[in-house]
Amino acid sequence: MSSSARCSLPVPHCLQARNSAPLTGKALGKFPSFSWFIASLVVNLGDLESLQEQGLTGLVGHPTALTARKKPVTDLVELEILSRGSLHPACFPRNTPAPCSTCGRLALRRPDKPILDAASLPTDLDLFRLTNFSALLIVTERFKDAVDALGLDGLTFLEVASR
């Protein structure tokens, strides 16, 4: 989130579960194309439509209930990010603790050099979370190229290997 944009939201109990209610809170300032609100990725509606026009798959936006100066913010939508794919087993220590029984979160740091399990990767999505490390979002090269071509901001990309 840029320094000129702020949002005050309650912290969700579970980062992996999607609430059925719209994202709520106060939105102040000018937002970049993509913004993080706790565990939710929010995108400008026009930018989402431009990405969809580029032929990207699996990009679904949900209306938010964000407000600015008591008026609804209708140009920001929350992206639905499905859990698919996983980190390769080589990324985890031998004595990995069991995941949280509520949300499935592993109490581990992100590996310095994450490796994706190639056999687990979806072919029908250009943006997704990993099932065994939901804080890590994965995008296809096609997604990155579209973001760059459209001049969108708010995301940082890191190339990740797979095997």
Side-chain angles (χ1 to χ4, degrees), residues 18-19 25 39 48 61 63 65 85-86 97 106 111 115 125-128 131 133 144-145 148:
R18 173 161 162 59
N19 294 333
L48 174 60
S86 57
L106 290 170
I115 302 168
L125 297 174
D126 285 304
L127 169 69
F128 55 95
T131 58
F133 207 88
K144 182 193 178 303
D145 290 346
D148 289 345

PDB file of all heavy atoms in Angstrom, residues 18-19 25 39 48 61 63 65 85-86 97 106 111 115 125-128 131 133 144-145 148:
ATOM      1  N   ARG A  18     -12.297 -17.269   3.219  1.00  0.00           N
ATOM      2  CA  ARG A  18     -12.877 -16.055   2.657  1.00  0.00           C
ATOM      3  C   ARG A  18     -14.201 -15.801   3.347  1.00  0.00           C
ATOM      4  O   ARG A  18     -15.058 -16.666   3.408  1.00  0.00           O
ATOM      5  CB  ARG A  18     -13.111 -16.233   1.153  1.00  0.00           C
ATOM      6  CG  ARG A  18     -13.879 -15.052   0.593  1.00  0.00           C
ATOM      7  CD  ARG A  18     -13.755 -14.925  -0.879  1.00  0.00           C
ATOM      8  NE  ARG A  18     -14.745 -14.117  -1.488  1.00  0.00           N
ATOM      9  CZ  ARG A  18     -14.995 -12.842  -1.230  1.00  0.00           C
ATOM     10  NH1 ARG A  18     -14.345 -12.217  -0.299  1.00  0.00           N
ATOM     11  NH2 ARG A  18     -15.917 -12.181  -1.883  1.00  0.00           N
ATOM     12  N   ASN A  19     -14.370 -14.612   3.859  1.00  0.00           N
ATOM     13  CA  ASN A  19     -15.639 -14.239   4.476  1.00  0.00           C
ATOM     14  C   ASN A  19     -16.687 -14.107   3.386  1.00  0.00           C
ATOM     15  O   ASN A  19     -16.407 -13.693   2.272  1.00  0.00           O
ATOM     16  CB  ASN A  19     -15.517 -12.899   5.200  1.00  0.00           C
ATOM     17  CG  ASN A  19     -14.582 -12.979   6.372  1.00  0.00           C
ATOM     18  OD1 ASN A  19     -14.404 -14.035   6.964  1.00  0.00           O
ATOM     19  ND2 ASN A  19     -13.961 -11.865   6.707  1.00  0.00           N
ATOM     20  N   GLY A  25     -14.484  -1.251   5.795  1.00  0.00           N
ATOM     21  CA  GLY A  25     -13.488  -0.388   6.404  1.00  0.00           C
ATOM     22  C   GLY A  25     -13.513   0.986   5.772  1.00  0.00           C
ATOM     23  O   GLY A  25     -14.341   1.285   4.914  1.00  0.00           O
ATOM     24  N   ALA A  39      -5.259  -9.458   4.727  1.00  0.00           N
ATOM     25  CA  ALA A  39      -5.016 -10.631   3.871  1.00  0.00           C
ATOM     26  C   ALA A  39      -5.793 -10.560   2.566  1.00  0.00           C
ATOM     27  O   ALA A  39      -5.868 -11.545   1.839  1.00  0.00           O
ATOM     28  CB  ALA A  39      -5.380 -11.897   4.634  1.00  0.00           C
ATOM     29  N   LEU A  48      -8.888  -4.288 -13.144  1.00  0.00           N
ATOM     30  CA  LEU A  48      -9.312  -5.688 -13.224  1.00  0.00           C
ATOM     31  C   LEU A  48      -9.928  -5.970 -14.597  1.00  0.00           C
ATOM     32  O   LEU A  48      -9.616  -6.988 -15.235  1.00  0.00           O
ATOM     33  CB  LEU A  48     -10.315  -6.018 -12.118  1.00  0.00           C
ATOM     34  CG  LEU A  48     -10.937  -7.414 -12.171  1.00  0.00           C
ATOM     35  CD1 LEU A  48      -9.880  -8.504 -12.078  1.00  0.00           C
ATOM     36  CD2 LEU A  48     -11.984  -7.571 -11.076  1.00  0.00           C
ATOM     37  N   GLY A  61     -13.506 -10.490  -9.189  1.00  0.00           N
ATOM     38  CA  GLY A  61     -13.566  -9.414  -8.207  1.00  0.00           C
ATOM     39  C   GLY A  61     -14.895  -9.411  -7.480  1.00  0.00           C
ATOM     40  O   GLY A  61     -15.938  -9.671  -8.087  1.00  0.00           O
ATOM     41  N   PRO A  63     -17.439  -7.111  -4.874  1.00  0.00           N
ATOM     42  CA  PRO A  63     -17.655  -5.753  -4.367  1.00  0.00           C
ATOM     43  C   PRO A  63     -17.210  -5.635  -2.907  1.00  0.00           C
ATOM     44  O   PRO A  63     -17.310  -6.591  -2.143  1.00  0.00           O
ATOM     45  CB  PRO A  63     -19.166  -5.561  -4.483  1.00  0.00           C
ATOM     46  CG  PRO A  63     -19.633  -6.598  -5.439  1.00  0.00           C
ATOM     47  CD  PRO A  63     -18.676  -7.737  -5.334  1.00  0.00           C
ATOM     48  N   ALA A  65     -17.312  -3.133   0.762  1.00  0.00           N
ATOM     49  CA  ALA A  65     -18.157  -2.177   1.471  1.00  0.00           C
ATOM     50  C   ALA A  65     -17.262  -1.108   2.088  1.00  0.00           C
ATOM     51  O   ALA A  65     -17.507  -0.627   3.187  1.00  0.00           O
ATOM     52  CB  ALA A  65     -18.999  -2.891   2.527  1.00  0.00           C
ATOM     53  N   GLY A  85      -2.102 -25.456  -6.032  1.00  0.00           N
ATOM     54  CA  GLY A  85      -0.659 -25.595  -6.110  1.00  0.00           C
ATOM     55  C   GLY A  85      -0.037 -25.622  -4.725  1.00  0.00           C
ATOM     56  O   GLY A  85      -0.683 -25.316  -3.722  1.00  0.00           O
ATOM     57  N   SER A  86       1.225 -26.011  -4.666  1.00  0.00           N
ATOM     58  CA  SER A  86       1.896 -26.090  -3.366  1.00  0.00           C
ATOM     59  C   SER A  86       3.402 -25.910  -3.515  1.00  0.00           C
ATOM     60  O   SER A  86       3.949 -26.040  -4.609  1.00  0.00           O
ATOM     61  CB  SER A  86       1.584 -27.428  -2.687  1.00  0.00           C
ATOM     62  OG  SER A  86       1.963 -28.498  -3.508  1.00  0.00           O
ATOM     63  N   PRO A  97       6.015 -28.953  11.948  1.00  0.00           N
ATOM     64  CA  PRO A  97       4.848 -29.092  12.830  1.00  0.00           C
ATOM     65  C   PRO A  97       3.560 -29.217  12.021  1.00  0.00           C
ATOM     66  O   PRO A  97       3.492 -28.784  10.869  1.00  0.00           O
ATOM     67  CB  PRO A  97       4.854 -27.797  13.647  1.00  0.00           C
ATOM     68  CG  PRO A  97       5.691 -26.840  12.879  1.00  0.00           C
ATOM     69  CD  PRO A  97       6.645 -27.644  12.046  1.00  0.00           C
ATOM     70  N   LEU A 106       0.754 -23.230   8.254  1.00  0.00           N
ATOM     71  CA  LEU A 106       1.955 -23.826   8.822  1.00  0.00           C
ATOM     72  C   LEU A 106       2.726 -22.743   9.557  1.00  0.00           C
ATOM     73  O   LEU A 106       2.886 -21.636   9.050  1.00  0.00           O
ATOM     74  CB  LEU A 106       2.843 -24.407   7.720  1.00  0.00           C
ATOM     75  CG  LEU A 106       2.330 -25.653   7.017  1.00  0.00           C
ATOM     76  CD1 LEU A 106       3.188 -25.958   5.796  1.00  0.00           C
ATOM     77  CD2 LEU A 106       2.339 -26.826   7.968  1.00  0.00           C
ATOM     78  N   PRO A 111      10.309 -19.903   2.814  1.00  0.00           N
ATOM     79  CA  PRO A 111      11.677 -20.278   2.435  1.00  0.00           C
ATOM     80  C   PRO A 111      12.365 -19.127   1.699  1.00  0.00           C
ATOM     81  O   PRO A 111      11.718 -18.381   0.962  1.00  0.00           O
ATOM     82  CB  PRO A 111      11.486 -21.480   1.508  1.00  0.00           C
ATOM     83  CG  PRO A 111      10.099 -21.955   1.757  1.00  0.00           C
ATOM     84  CD  PRO A 111       9.311 -20.791   2.252  1.00  0.00           C
ATOM     85  N   ILE A 115      10.439 -23.116  -3.843  1.00  0.00           N
ATOM     86  CA  ILE A 115      10.371 -23.953  -5.039  1.00  0.00           C
ATOM     87  C   ILE A 115       8.945 -24.487  -5.115  1.00  0.00           C
ATOM     88  O   ILE A 115       8.430 -25.022  -4.132  1.00  0.00           O
ATOM     89  CB  ILE A 115      11.362 -25.130  -4.962  1.00  0.00           C
ATOM     90  CG1 ILE A 115      12.789 -24.614  -4.785  1.00  0.00           C
ATOM     91  CG2 ILE A 115      11.252 -26.012  -6.201  1.00  0.00           C
ATOM     92  CD1 ILE A 115      13.785 -25.691  -4.420  1.00  0.00           C
ATOM     93  N   LEU A 125      -5.532 -21.006 -13.998  1.00  0.00           N
ATOM     94  CA  LEU A 125      -5.535 -19.777 -13.208  1.00  0.00           C
ATOM     95  C   LEU A 125      -4.248 -19.001 -13.444  1.00  0.00           C
ATOM     96  O   LEU A 125      -3.169 -19.585 -13.508  1.00  0.00           O
ATOM     97  CB  LEU A 125      -5.637 -20.090 -11.710  1.00  0.00           C
ATOM     98  CG  LEU A 125      -6.891 -20.790 -11.212  1.00  0.00           C
ATOM     99  CD1 LEU A 125      -6.734 -21.142  -9.735  1.00  0.00           C
ATOM    100  CD2 LEU A 125      -8.102 -19.912 -11.420  1.00  0.00           C
ATOM    101  N   ASP A 126      -4.370 -17.687 -13.536  1.00  0.00           N
ATOM    102  CA  ASP A 126      -3.184 -16.834 -13.661  1.00  0.00           C
ATOM    103  C   ASP A 126      -2.779 -16.204 -12.334  1.00  0.00           C
ATOM    104  O   ASP A 126      -1.752 -15.536 -12.257  1.00  0.00           O
ATOM    105  CB  ASP A 126      -3.442 -15.744 -14.708  1.00  0.00           C
ATOM    106  CG  ASP A 126      -3.384 -16.300 -16.116  1.00  0.00           C
ATOM    107  OD1 ASP A 126      -2.355 -16.893 -16.474  1.00  0.00           O
ATOM    108  OD2 ASP A 126      -4.380 -16.156 -16.851  1.00  0.00           O
ATOM    109  N   LEU A 127      -3.583 -16.402 -11.284  1.00  0.00           N
ATOM    110  CA  LEU A 127      -3.305 -15.886  -9.947  1.00  0.00           C
ATOM    111  C   LEU A 127      -3.904 -16.866  -8.947  1.00  0.00           C
ATOM    112  O   LEU A 127      -5.071 -17.231  -9.067  1.00  0.00           O
ATOM    113  CB  LEU A 127      -3.947 -14.501  -9.767  1.00  0.00           C
ATOM    114  CG  LEU A 127      -3.990 -13.914  -8.358  1.00  0.00           C
ATOM    115  CD1 LEU A 127      -2.597 -13.549  -7.864  1.00  0.00           C
ATOM    116  CD2 LEU A 127      -4.902 -12.690  -8.322  1.00  0.00           C
ATOM    117  N   PHE A 128      -3.100 -17.302  -7.972  1.00  0.00           N
ATOM    118  CA  PHE A 128      -3.604 -18.244  -6.966  1.00  0.00           C
ATOM    119  C   PHE A 128      -2.710 -18.220  -5.735  1.00  0.00           C
ATOM    120  O   PHE A 128      -1.596 -17.707  -5.768  1.00  0.00           O
ATOM    121  CB  PHE A 128      -3.704 -19.669  -7.534  1.00  0.00           C
ATOM    122  CG  PHE A 128      -2.418 -20.208  -8.119  1.00  0.00           C
ATOM    123  CD1 PHE A 128      -1.560 -20.986  -7.353  1.00  0.00           C
ATOM    124  CD2 PHE A 128      -2.079 -19.943  -9.434  1.00  0.00           C
ATOM    125  CE1 PHE A 128      -0.376 -21.475  -7.881  1.00  0.00           C
ATOM    126  CE2 PHE A 128      -0.897 -20.430  -9.977  1.00  0.00           C
ATOM    127  CZ  PHE A 128      -0.044 -21.199  -9.202  1.00  0.00           C
ATOM    128  N   THR A 131      -1.668 -23.970  -1.469  1.00  0.00           N
ATOM    129  CA  THR A 131      -2.461 -24.676  -0.462  1.00  0.00           C
ATOM    130  C   THR A 131      -1.682 -24.898   0.824  1.00  0.00           C
ATOM    131  O   THR A 131      -2.270 -24.903   1.897  1.00  0.00           O
ATOM    132  CB  THR A 131      -2.942 -26.039  -0.992  1.00  0.00           C
ATOM    133  OG1 THR A 131      -1.802 -26.808  -1.378  1.00  0.00           O
ATOM    134  CG2 THR A 131      -3.883 -25.873  -2.159  1.00  0.00           C
ATOM    135  N   PHE A 133       0.989 -22.953   1.803  1.00  0.00           N
ATOM    136  CA  PHE A 133       1.625 -21.707   2.249  1.00  0.00           C
ATOM    137  C   PHE A 133       0.793 -20.555   1.685  1.00  0.00           C
ATOM    138  O   PHE A 133       1.190 -19.883   0.732  1.00  0.00           O
ATOM    139  CB  PHE A 133       3.081 -21.639   1.780  1.00  0.00           C
ATOM    140  CG  PHE A 133       3.941 -20.804   2.675  1.00  0.00           C
ATOM    141  CD1 PHE A 133       4.573 -21.364   3.775  1.00  0.00           C
ATOM    142  CD2 PHE A 133       4.089 -19.457   2.442  1.00  0.00           C
ATOM    143  CE1 PHE A 133       5.352 -20.588   4.612  1.00  0.00           C
ATOM    144  CE2 PHE A 133       4.863 -18.671   3.278  1.00  0.00           C
ATOM    145  CZ  PHE A 133       5.499 -19.234   4.363  1.00  0.00           C
ATOM    146  N   LYS A 144       2.120 -11.344 -15.009  1.00  0.00           N
ATOM    147  CA  LYS A 144       3.151 -10.320 -14.808  1.00  0.00           C
ATOM    148  C   LYS A 144       3.313  -9.458 -16.063  1.00  0.00           C
ATOM    149  O   LYS A 144       3.398  -8.232 -15.977  1.00  0.00           O
ATOM    150  CB  LYS A 144       4.492 -10.950 -14.438  1.00  0.00           C
ATOM    151  CG  LYS A 144       5.573  -9.907 -14.171  1.00  0.00           C
ATOM    152  CD  LYS A 144       6.945 -10.513 -14.124  1.00  0.00           C
ATOM    153  CE  LYS A 144       8.022  -9.480 -13.916  1.00  0.00           C
ATOM    154  NZ  LYS A 144       8.086  -8.404 -14.888  1.00  0.00           N
ATOM    155  N   ASP A 145       3.361 -10.108 -17.230  1.00  0.00           N
ATOM    156  CA  ASP A 145       3.518  -9.361 -18.484  1.00  0.00           C
ATOM    157  C   ASP A 145       2.348  -8.405 -18.710  1.00  0.00           C
ATOM    158  O   ASP A 145       2.537  -7.271 -19.161  1.00  0.00           O
ATOM    159  CB  ASP A 145       3.649 -10.315 -19.667  1.00  0.00           C
ATOM    160  CG  ASP A 145       4.971 -11.080 -19.664  1.00  0.00           C
ATOM    161  OD1 ASP A 145       5.898 -10.700 -18.916  1.00  0.00           O
ATOM    162  OD2 ASP A 145       5.067 -12.082 -20.409  1.00  0.00           O
ATOM    163  N   ASP A 148       2.700  -5.425 -16.328  1.00  0.00           N
ATOM    164  CA  ASP A 148       3.746  -4.532 -16.832  1.00  0.00           C
ATOM    165  C   ASP A 148       3.274  -3.755 -18.065  1.00  0.00           C
ATOM    166  O   ASP A 148       3.480  -2.551 -18.164  1.00  0.00           O
ATOM    167  CB  ASP A 148       5.011  -5.321 -17.172  1.00  0.00           C
ATOM    168  CG  ASP A 148       5.740  -5.849 -15.936  1.00  0.00           C
ATOM    169  OD1 ASP A 148       5.448  -5.375 -14.812  1.00  0.00           O
ATOM    170  OD2 ASP A 148       6.586  -6.752 -16.109  1.00  0.00           O
TER     171      ASP A 148
END
